[in-house]
Amino acid sequence: MSRIGKIPVSIPKGVDVKLDKNEIKVKGPKGELAFVWPTRVSVEKKDVGLVVSRHGDDKQAKAYHGLVQRMLSNMVTGVANGFSKELEIQGVGYRAAMDGNKLTMQLGFSHPVIFDPPKGIKIETPKQTSVIISGCDKQQVGQVAAVIRGLRPPEPYKGKGIRYAGEYVRRKVGKKAAK
């Protein structure tokens, strides 16, 4: 049995869970999420919370067992508390600011880079060199953070670019003069 899959997902107060055939809808103070799980597993609502069980012992069912449990756990956590990722911008003249609901960044190009966040994602810039992405869907928050980081990933010589908060960028030695 999957070690992750057999752990029941507890439902905190203020979170409403509705099950329909093979679809779940989770609603909480931070938002609402829906998920359709594969037919090789089933989800039941019990006293301890949501319990995931699989139909059979084939490789695909075993893989889905842990996946569905973790997806449900992330959904419940997301609508209750939310998720966030922080990005740091490093480089001379590199900065970010919110212009309405759009993120405008100066990243060393000849033009400003404008990023329009998808629905359900909130972006904040507490400092010019810091961007905080938050939302209730963990996958979407991570994807938006990766897309923004991909606009100017950190380069290994000077370390300029956009990086995750606390990310270590391995630096390389530049050219040396020949003697």
Side-chain angles (χ1 to χ4, degrees), residues 31-47:
E32 186 175 349
L33 294 172
F35 175 65
V36 177
W37 65 80
T39 56
R40 295 181 188 248
V41 294
S42 61
V43 178
E44 297 175 38
K45 190 174 178 182
K46 294 187 177 177
D47 308 356

Side-chain angles (χ1 to χ4, degrees), residues 9-12 15 17 26 33 50 71-81:
V9 178
S10 61
I11 303 168
V15 175
V17 176
V26 183
L33 294 172
L50 298 171
M71 292 288 289
L72 298 177
S73 175
N74 287 339
M75 288 172 64
V76 170
T77 304
V79 297
N81 305 325

Side-chain angles (χ1 to χ4, degrees), residues 150-169:
L151 295 172
R152 184 65 116 174
E155 55 96 17
Y157 295 102
K158 292 185 178 179
K160 299 190 313 183
I162 302 173
R163 62 180 78 184
Y164 296 111
E167 178 184 1
Y168 174 74
V169 176

Side-chain angles (χ1 to χ4, degrees), residues 39-168:
T39 56
R40 295 181 188 248
V41 294
S42 61
V43 178
E44 297 175 38
K45 190 174 178 182
K46 294 187 177 177
D47 308 356
V48 291
L50 298 171
V51 178
V52 181
S53 57
R54 65 174 182 242
H55 309 296
D57 284 333
D58 59 300
K59 191 174 183 179
Q60 198 72 42
K62 287 180 180 180
Y64 283 143
H65 191 199
L67 172 77
V68 170
Q69 190 277 348
R70 195 47 53 184
M71 292 288 289
L72 298 177
S73 175
N74 287 339
M75 288 172 64
V76 170
T77 304
V79 297
N81 305 325
F83 293 101
S84 68
K85 290 251 184 199
E86 186 173 352
L87 299 173
E88 296 173 346
I89 301 173
Q90 291 188 354
V92 177
Y94 287 23
R95 60 185 178 272
M98 289 302 293
D99 185 24
N101 65 341
K102 295 184 180 190
L103 179 66
T104 305
M105 297 173 283
Q106 299 290 333
L107 300 174
F109 299 121
S110 61
H111 59 283
V113 178
I114 299 171
F115 181 78
D116 192 14
K119 186 180 176 190
I121 295 293
K122 182 181 173 195
I123 297 179
E124 301 171 16
T125 52
K127 296 186 287 185
Q128 287 186 339
T129 59
S130 177
V131 177
I132 298 174
I133 301 139
S134 57
C136 63
D137 189 353
K138 186 175 186 177
Q139 288 179 323
Q140 193 178 28
V141 168
Q143 184 64 38
V144 168
V147 167
I148 292 174
R149 182 185 181 273
L151 295 172
R152 184 65 116 174
E155 55 96 17
Y157 295 102
K158 292 185 178 179
K160 299 190 313 183
I162 302 173
R163 62 180 78 184
Y164 296 111
E167 178 184 1
Y168 174 74

